[in-house]
């Protein structure tokens, strides 16, 4: 029937090229398999799902180690306390780190909002603020690591109890901190594109022929909100338990 060949899907299929050249053309073009999500948004969701499994494995491993060890687990209120003006304040640094990261989720959400409004200046400022808050979090985490290392915490032991504490702490917080660091780098890359007006002009990226647009800010936001959500679980399981 002439009706089937006139549909958009049939027209798109007719334009497909066979062989390896067609494969490359498909992957570098703006082909869509999902009606409501672009390729890079769908791929980001798949990546976040796989990352969810990894962090879940880490937290399950942490709970297993903690419940199976025969030695007392270090008191986190004492281990992660800071002495300020002669007073030891439990978890004060962790509370500030959590506040900073949660605040960055708010600025990221606003950046996505202003991005879809095509307000380039507000989007740029909010992306830079989000990157700054993320960098602040990483800096405080580096301070926390340095403090613990000076106090004798190692992956194979620590002065307060179960030797597994150091290894699981450095592994979980280090893996999360790496995610935040990568996120800050990509926030700056997206901010540069916004600053140069590449999304307004729909310029193509370095490795693809797809046109850039402000949906990239939303995809960046998905990653950033995921990193913040993971921290809430780490905070609850590692610092409050």
């Amino acid at each position: 029937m002439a009706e089937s060949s006139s549909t958009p899907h049939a027209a798109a299929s007719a334009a497909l090229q066979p062989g390896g050249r067609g494969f490359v053309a498909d992957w570098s073009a703006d082909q869509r398999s999902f009606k409501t999500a672009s390729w890079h948004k769908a791929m980001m969701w798949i990546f976040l799902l796989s990352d969810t499994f990894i962090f879940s494995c880490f937290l399950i491993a942490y709970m297993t180690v903690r419940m199976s060890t025969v030695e007392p687990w270090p008191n986190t209120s004492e281990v992660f306390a800071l002495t300020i003006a002669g007073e030891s304040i439990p978890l004060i640094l962790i509370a500030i780190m959590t506040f900073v990261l949660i605040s960055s989720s708010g600025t990221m959400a606003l950046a996505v909002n202003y991005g879809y409004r095509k307000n380039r200046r507000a989007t740029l400022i909010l992306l830079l603020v989000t990157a700054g808050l993320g960098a602040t979090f990483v800096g405080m985490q580096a301070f926390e690591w340095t403090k613990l290392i000076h106090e004798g915490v190692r992956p194979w032991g620590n002065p307060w109890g179960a030797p597994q504490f150091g290894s699981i702490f450095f592994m979980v917080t280090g893996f999360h901190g790496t995610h935040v660091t990568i996120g800050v780098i990509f926030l700056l890359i997206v901010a540069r594109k916004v600053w140069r007006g590449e999304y307004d002009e729909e310029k193509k990226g370095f490795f693809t022929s797809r046109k850039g647009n402000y949906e990239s800010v939303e995809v960046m936001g998905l990653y950033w909100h995921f990193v913040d959500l993971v921290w809430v679980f780490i905070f609850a399981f590692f610092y409050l338990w």
Side-chain angles (χ1 to χ4, degrees):
M1 296 286 291
E3 181 185 355
S4 60
S5 62
S6 62
T7 60
H9 177 73
S13 299
L16 296 178
Q17 305 174 35
R21 186 181 295 275
F23 178 80
V24 173
D26 289 345
W27 276 91
S28 60
D30 196 20
Q31 301 284 356
R32 287 194 178 199
S33 291
F34 307 97
K35 291 182 179 179
T36 57
S38 61
W39 270 113
H40 59 310
K41 187 186 289 186
M43 293 300 105
M44 176 56 77
W45 276 114
I46 293 173
F47 168 74
L48 296 181
L49 180 63
S50 65
D51 234 16
T52 300
F53 289 133
I54 295 174
F55 276 108
S56 299
C57 289
F58 281 172
L59 291 178
I60 291 171
Y62 161 67
M63 289 188 289
T64 303
V65 167
R66 181 159 179 179
M67 289 187 293
S68 62
T69 182
V70 294
E71 297 186 47
W73 197 259
N75 187 338
T76 52
S77 296
E78 298 175 1
V79 173
F80 299 109
L82 275 187
T83 302
I84 300 176
E87 295 284 338
S88 180
I89 305 177
L91 299 176
I92 181 64
L93 179 64
I94 312 303
I96 296 172
M97 290 169 63
T98 304
F99 176 77
V100 167
L101 206 57
I102 297 301
S103 299
S104 72
S105 252
T107 56
M108 188 70 237
L110 288 173
V112 174
N113 185 295
Y114 280 102
Y116 276 119
R117 295 184 190 183
K118 297 189 182 300
N119 188 328
R120 194 170 65 174
R121 185 171 182 274
T123 306
L124 172 63
I125 293 173
L126 287 165
L127 284 172
L128 292 177
V129 171
T130 305
L133 291 171
T136 303
F137 175 88
V138 174
M140 288 192 289
Q141 193 171 54
F143 172 80
E144 179 192 33
W145 275 41
T146 304
K147 172 180 172 293
L148 292 177
I149 290 171
H150 278 295
E151 291 173 349
V153 179
R154 300 289 186 273
W156 49 85
N158 65 82
W160 304 294
Q164 300 94 333
F165 170 80
S167 58
I168 197 78
F169 169 79
F170 287 127
M171 180 181 71
V172 174
T173 60
F175 193 64
H176 178 265
T178 302
H179 276 68
V180 177
T181 304
I182 293 172
V184 169
I185 294 171
F186 275 93
L187 279 169
L188 294 175
I189 293 174
V190 173
R192 181 176 179 271
K193 287 178 173 290
V194 171
W195 173 56
R196 291 165 60 93
E198 295 184 12
Y199 295 146
D200 296 292
E201 301 172 6
E202 296 189 341
K203 284 188 176 180
K204 298 174 182 177
F206 291 111
F207 305 110
T208 176
S209 62
R210 296 172 186 151
K211 295 177 181 177
N213 55 50
Y214 280 98
E215 191 182 42
S216 298
V217 180
E218 182 187 357
V219 174
M220 184 67 238
L222 289 175
Y223 176 85
W224 195 255
H225 294 315
F226 171 79
V227 169
D228 292 357
L229 179 63
V230 168
W231 177 254
V232 172
F233 282 95
I234 293 175
F235 177 74
F237 279 81
F238 213 97
Y239 295 97
L240 299 183
W241 183 15

